[in-house]
Amino acid sequence: MPDRAAVATAGSEPGAAVMTAGFGACLAAAARRIDAHLGEVLRGFPDHTVTQAMIHAIRGGKGLRGFLVLESAALHDVAPGRAIWPAAAIEAMHGYSLVHDDLPCMDDDHLRRGEPTVHVKWDEATAVLAGDALQALAFELAAHPGAGPGGIRAELALSLARAGGAGGMVMGQALDIAAETAEVPLTLAQITALQAGKTGALIDWAACAGARLAGADPGPFHAYAAALGLAFQIADDILDVEGDADRAGKSLRKDMRAGKATFVSLLGLAGARARAAELAGEACEALAPFGARADGLRAAARFAISRDN
Amino acid sequence: MPDRAAVATAGSEPGAAVMTAGFGACLAAAARRIDAHLGEVLRGFPDHTVTQAMIHAIRGGKGLRGFLVLESAALHDVAPGRAIWPAAAIEAMHGYSLVHDDLPCMDDDHLRRGEPTVHVKWDEATAVLAGDALQALAFELAAHPGAGPGGIRAELALSLARAGGAGGMVMGQALDIAAETAEVPLTLAQITALQAGKTGALIDWAACAGARLAGADPGPFHAYAAALGLAFQIADDILDVEGDADRAGKSLRKDMRAGKATFVSLLGLAGARARAAELAGEACEALAPFGARADGLRAAARFAISRDN
């Protein structure tokens, strides 16, 4: 599939390419573009173990968050050359969170995207530092002059800091770690709040990036992202139970073994599937004002609940 | 010493308060102002272990980097109410680096600023997350609307990301970790390069923040910061050999026990002292164009080589 099939690179009407080329091809093309951009930026860094670990950590992701940036930017008629900076930023931020989450003192995971995790391939110090540097890189990319006028870049950096910090992603991760040793399993409301931070905050930032790049109100994209983020996490819980570790590229059945409450343990498999489908529908609905131009983002919501990795 | 004695809060001619109240009092007043500002911001965060660990980690620092921001801002006639945001940002960034540096897989330190380190007081996961959240907080503060116009905030965030990332502080830290297992001790040139990243990059950002806040050329402040940063690190190496652990509030004699090359092992104690004094002089000289208004920053350079913590 040539890169030009991707919505955000084609320069054609947003949403159209997804309909013709299929979502999987568009997502893969977006991920390739973002990987290439990150690779180019990282070639400017000192050739050091930490830089190699950073490259290892960001390679091979689905690129869903970056796709949301590119697609929401196209929806606002923002040039792809500007949108690639925050798209790369959110993938760097997501990559940092995975490297640190995989550490022995956190989730202690050895496999990620089908490859050994950073602390397994190198060591823990390298994983701490590569994650730290990826977070710094995320802000370098979000505030980069290529992304547009100063006021917009400041807003992108500020909102990314809030999404990633102790009021957003880190809080979700902290609640998740605490849940592992909690005596009483979490309730549905607690898991929903936890995931709104852990997974939801970065997805919200990605979906709102297009509006921010255009200096427009991200309003409707918050509702889209809230439904998409929750659907994504329910699908993750289903994948943890039903998935194939080779296809997923990471360890599965961990929550079940740990006896952690998940959307599946609380809703049952059928209930979880129904709730995920309902949320994907809500995500699509939230974009009604944008008509067919939002079909790429709608396809992302459907993808979130049907993926196998 | 009342807070208003500090240069940056007094609204008087920069440099003047240092001459009347003494540098120690001015530094302490600046540190109190920054601590209070950080405390206020953190009160808006969810009440969680990670937030408590963040507060623990940023409390009780010397505040030298924050002082450099406030003082360089005063030198450029930037309002203290704007400068407090990047001043708090650099202390959050410095705090994050200490929490992660103290981790068992890094320097494995148990004492910091006279208190147990975060992973000792809580656990490693909390330390990883608190450090991560402090880095995000640093960017939230640097890009905060209170700091001024969007273009300036974007520039502050961008330069902070570059100072903190794999081309700056993280690279210095990675070289330092690598040096611990190196078969051949580092040379003077290698240690100087290492420190330019590990300590120098954030000091450079702090010293240049005033010019950036004013939209002015940070040019002369790079030279000041390069000399100050190196002098600061040489003084750190002297402190590691000669210092009193109680006064320093951290473990000492670590480099010597580890057989690591330091400025002291390479230059001797007398040679290291002479070099530090020479560098402090160079730092003061670099500010010649600013006359007596830069006396506060000159006092900081002298403090850097005479401190006991």
Side-chain angles (χ1 to χ4, degrees):
Chain A
M1 206 62 233
D3 271 10
R4 55 191 294 278
V7 173
T9 51
S12 67
E13 192 67 358
V18 166
M19 297 303 102
T20 55
F23 182 76
C26 285
L27 182 63
R32 275 198 303 275
R33 274 198 70 214
I34 298 166
D35 267 7
H37 191 78
L38 281 165
E40 203 171 313
V41 170
L42 283 165
R43 266 194 294 281
F45 280 62
D47 182 24
H48 192 276
T49 307
V50 170
T51 311
Q52 292 158 22
M54 291 166 78
I55 293 168
H56 177 81
I58 54 179
R59 212 168 26 200
K62 288 184 290 293
L64 179 66
R65 291 158 190 80
F67 174 86
L68 295 177
V69 174
L70 296 178
E71 190 68 18
S72 66
L75 193 58
H76 288 86
D77 297 314
V78 171
R82 285 180 59 206
I84 192 71
W85 293 97
I90 196 67
E91 291 298 333
M93 196 79 174
H94 179 52
Y96 122 67
S97 78
L98 297 180
V99 173
H100 282 188
D101 284 5
D102 288 340
L103 281 168
C105 67
M106 307 276 280
D107 292 351
D108 195 13
D109 270 312
H110 292 211
L111 192 70
R112 172 71 70 179
R113 297 171 176 174
E115 295 279 337
T117 49
V118 172
H119 70 273
V120 168
K121 192 171 166 77
W122 286 278
D123 51 43
E124 283 183 52
T126 302
V128 170
L129 290 171
D132 288 346
L134 280 171
Q135 180 170 194
L137 177 63
F139 288 100
E140 181 173 344
L141 295 164
H144 194 278
I152 282 172
R153 296 187 281 127
E155 180 58 28
L156 286 170
L158 179 64
S159 52
L160 183 59
R162 287 177 173 160
M169 184 175 69
V170 166
M171 187 196 57
Q173 181 64 16
L175 293 173
D176 199 27
I177 297 276
E180 287 182 12
T181 53
E183 291 184 11
V184 184
L186 298 191
T187 65
L188 192 58
Q190 286 172 320
I191 291 186
T192 304
L194 182 165
Q195 295 303 343
K198 188 176 174 181
T199 319
L202 292 197
I203 287 180
D204 177 71
W205 188 86
C208 292
R212 291 203 176 101
L213 280 163
D217 173 26
F221 296 90
H222 288 306
Y224 163 78
L228 168 62
L230 194 52
F232 185 92
Q233 190 55 47
I234 295 175
D236 230 41
D237 286 356
I238 295 171
L239 196 61
D240 190 64
V241 174
E242 287 201 324
D244 178 279
D246 282 344
R247 291 192 68 85
K250 62 182 178 183
S251 313
L252 297 177
R253 327 274 183 262
K254 292 197 66 168
D255 289 344
M256 216 196 303
R257 278 199 301 269
K260 273 170 78 173
T262 68
F263 289 107
V264 172
S265 75
L266 288 163
L267 299 172
L269 254 177
R273 256 196 224 99
R275 181 74 185 121
E278 189 179 47
L279 285 161
E282 284 176 24
C284 293
E285 265 309 297
L287 301 175
F290 299 95
R293 284 169 59 87
D295 279 349
L297 293 176
R298 291 193 187 92
R302 283 189 293 271
F303 164 81
I305 61 167
S306 64
R307 66 207 161 83
D308 57 7
N309 72 352
Chain B
M1 206 62 235
D3 271 10
R4 55 192 294 279
V7 174
T9 51
S12 66
E13 192 68 358
V18 166
M19 298 302 103
T20 55
F23 182 77
C26 284
L27 183 62
R32 275 198 302 276
R33 274 198 69 216
I34 297 166
D35 267 7
H37 191 78
L38 282 164
E40 204 171 312
V41 170
L42 283 166
R43 266 194 294 281
F45 279 63
D47 182 24
H48 193 275
T49 307
V50 170
T51 311
Q52 292 158 22
M54 292 166 77
I55 293 168
H56 176 82
I58 53 178
R59 213 167 26 198
K62 288 183 289 294
L64 179 65
R65 293 158 189 79
F67 174 86
L68 296 176
V69 173
L70 296 178
E71 190 68 19
S72 67
L75 193 57
H76 288 86
D77 297 314
V78 171
R82 285 181 58 207
I84 192 71
W85 293 98
I90 196 67
E91 291 297 333
M93 196 79 174
H94 178 51
Y96 122 67
S97 78
L98 297 181
V99 173
H100 282 187
D101 285 5
D102 288 340
L103 281 167
C105 67
M106 306 278 279
D107 293 350
D108 194 14
D109 271 312
H110 293 209
L111 193 69
R112 172 70 71 179
R113 297 171 175 174
E115 294 280 338
T117 48
V118 172
H119 70 273
V120 169
K121 192 170 165 78
W122 286 277
D123 52 44
E124 284 183 51
T126 302
V128 170
L129 291 171
D132 288 346
L134 279 171
Q135 181 170 194
L137 177 62
F139 289 100
E140 181 174 343
L141 295 164
H144 195 278
I152 283 173
R153 297 187 281 125
E155 179 58 27
L156 287 169
L158 179 64
S159 52
L160 183 60
R162 287 177 173 159
M169 183 175 71
V170 166
M171 188 196 57
Q173 181 63 17
L175 293 173
D176 199 28
I177 297 275
E180 287 182 14
T181 53
E183 291 184 11
V184 183
L186 298 192
T187 64
L188 192 59
Q190 287 173 320
I191 290 187
T192 304
L194 182 165
Q195 295 303 343
K198 189 176 174 182
T199 318
L202 291 198
I203 286 181
D204 177 72
W205 188 86
C208 292
R212 291 204 175 101
L213 280 163
D217 173 25
F221 297 91
H222 288 305
Y224 164 78
L228 168 63
L230 194 51
F232 185 92
Q233 190 55 45
I234 295 175
D236 230 42
D237 285 357
I238 295 171
L239 196 62
D240 190 63
V241 174
E242 288 201 323
D244 179 280
D246 282 345
R247 290 192 68 84
K250 62 181 177 183
S251 312
L252 298 176
R253 325 277 183 261
K254 291 197 66 170
D255 289 343
M256 216 196 301
R257 279 200 300 270
K260 274 171 77 172
T262 69
F263 289 106
V264 172
S265 75
L266 289 163
L267 299 172
L269 254 177
R273 256 194 226 100
R275 181 75 184 119
E278 189 180 46
L279 285 162
E282 285 176 23
C284 292
E285 265 309 299
L287 301 176
F290 299 95
R293 284 170 60 86
D295 280 348
L297 293 175
R298 291 194 188 92
R302 284 188 293 271
F303 164 80
I305 61 167
S306 64
R307 66 208 161 83
D308 58 7
N309 72 352

